[in-house]
Amino acid sequence: MPPCSQHLAEYFRDASAGSGIFILGNEAASKIAIPEQEWDEHANYVIRVNGDSMLPDYKDGDNVMVSQCVEMKYGDVGIFVVNGSAYIKEYGQTELISRNPEFPNIQVNESDNIVCMGKVIGKLEGKYEIINE
């Protein structure tokens, strides 16, 4: 494995590209070492995609890098927790958008509890090493 330049948290839970996955927010499984050529200095954590609602951009099993320090704009893809379930979706004005037309968007209501956990800034394409810290 090439030299690693950064360690990131990898989450036990996935972000749903479908019907939602319950997440409490403190499920970091371990630290991972990212190969230097894949490192993005803005990334804070990695989370796996579960489902196909974000095809063709993100597919089931992809590992996405997420930044908690980048401002979200309409059209950006982020990790959102809606009423306790985590999703990877496109940020829209009144809804969270599924890029795959076979899946419905998530309508956002005033009564919903929504937290943006960060902006998806890339995919982790290569292998990475799980480390203990």
Side-chain angles (χ1 to χ4, degrees):
M1 174 171 277
C4 296
S5 64
Q6 188 58 275
H7 299 164
L8 297 175
E10 178 188 35
Y11 278 78
F12 275 125
R13 302 282 182 169
D14 301 339
S16 177
S19 60
I21 294 174
F22 181 74
I23 190 168
L24 294 174
N26 192 19
E27 288 87 2
S30 57
K31 295 281 185 183
I32 60 173
I34 305 294
E36 189 172 329
Q37 70 271 19
E38 292 215 35
W39 169 242
D40 185 313
E41 65 187 33
H42 300 290
N44 296 108
Y45 67 91
V46 172
I47 193 165
R48 183 168 293 122
V49 175
N50 181 318
D52 294 324
S53 74
M54 293 302 286
L55 286 173
D57 302 306
Y58 304 98
K59 67 182 187 315
D60 186 55
D62 281 347
N63 290 304
V64 294
M65 292 183 284
V66 182
S67 173
Q68 296 172 308
C69 303
V70 178
E71 182 179 335
M72 292 288 293
K73 297 177 184 152
Y74 296 131
D76 288 342
V77 174
I79 305 298
F80 301 91
V81 176
V82 181
N83 301 325
S85 293
Y87 299 90
I88 177 172
K89 295 291 179 189
E90 180 181 322
Y91 179 45
Q93 284 188 319
T94 60
E95 60 191 356
L96 299 177
I97 300 165
S98 298
R99 291 193 168 166
N100 182 342
E102 295 181 19
F103 290 82
N105 297 336
I106 298 172
Q107 300 301 312
V108 176
N109 301 308
E110 286 184 27
S111 62
D112 289 328
N113 181 5
I114 301 172
V115 178
C116 179
M117 301 300 289
K119 178 180 176 178
V120 174
I121 57 173
K123 287 189 223 179
L124 183 57
E125 300 284 355
K127 296 185 185 234
Y128 56 86
E129 179 183 357
I130 297 175
I131 58 174
N132 294 319
E133 284 191 354

